[in-house]
Amino acid sequence: FTLKDQSQKDVKLSDYRGKNVVLIFYPLDWSPVCSNEHACFVNDLKQFEKLNAQVLGLSVDSVWSHKAFADKMGIQYPLLADFQPRGSVAEKFGIFLPDKGITGRAIAIIDKTGKLAWFKDFGIPNVPDLKEVSQALEQVK
């Protein structure tokens, strides 16, 4: 896929070949649970970098919302706008909720070759356990 990030740069999943990708699907910028989730990733980003992983956030919000949210939260990793057509990338992972018009909350780990290595749907009201995600990432070769 290719999506725009908060800086309006095109980001392709294939740009990260040779590196593991932690793809964070989340419902919306600014919601309390999503804010807490991203605060956790911001605080633990070094842990993911040590594991040769690129963190990417993805929701149906616009690049403008992502820009303001990233600035407010101190997010340095790309936030991808799955905006038009709405939820098209999340739908490929089975995590788009068309009845609500939002992305569910899940994390996918894409390995260095571009294959899905781990996936977990956490449910909208739950902040993912980053220790669980780190452990899963450690298992990805």
Side-chain angles (χ1 to χ4, degrees):
F1 62 78
T2 302
L3 294 173
K4 297 235 183 261
D5 72 3
Q6 68 267 33
S7 301
Q8 297 195 41
K9 251 181 49 188
D10 282 340
V11 175
K12 297 178 199 162
L13 185 56
S14 61
D15 292 342
Y16 300 103
R17 281 276 161 99
K19 198 171 200 171
N20 295 315
V21 173
V22 176
L23 186 54
I24 310 165
F25 294 95
Y26 65 101
L28 294 167
D29 294 339
W30 308 106
S31 70
V33 176
C34 294
S35 296
N36 289 342
E37 179 180 12
H38 284 286
C40 292
F41 271 100
V42 167
N43 292 335
D44 288 349
L45 196 57
K46 294 275 184 244
Q47 164 80 14
F48 291 95
E49 289 171 351
K50 283 181 194 167
L51 295 170
N52 190 34
Q54 172 66 52
V55 174
L56 302 173
L58 185 147
S59 79
V60 296
D61 293 292
S62 70
V63 294
W64 304 111
S65 179
H66 282 338
K67 173 80 171 119
F69 186 62
D71 289 350
K72 173 87 167 110
M73 298 291 298
I75 296 169
Q76 299 297 315
Y77 50 85
L79 295 179
L80 306 178
D82 195 8
F83 187 69
Q84 195 62 24
R86 189 172 190 90
S88 63
V89 172
E91 192 164 6
K92 291 176 186 175
F93 286 83
I95 199 71
F96 181 64
L97 307 170
D99 56 323
K100 293 181 171 69
I102 59 173
T103 306
R105 187 175 318 284
I107 294 182
I109 297 175
I110 314 296
D111 73 13
K112 297 171 189 164
T113 67
K115 292 197 170 46
L116 182 64
W118 186 84
F119 183 88
K120 183 168 181 182
D121 184 341
F122 288 91
I124 288 178
N126 304 308
V127 174
D129 178 354
L130 295 195
K131 188 174 182 183
E132 177 184 11
V133 177
S134 290
Q135 289 171 342
L137 185 56
E138 287 172 0
Q139 300 304 309
V140 175
K141 301 296 178 209

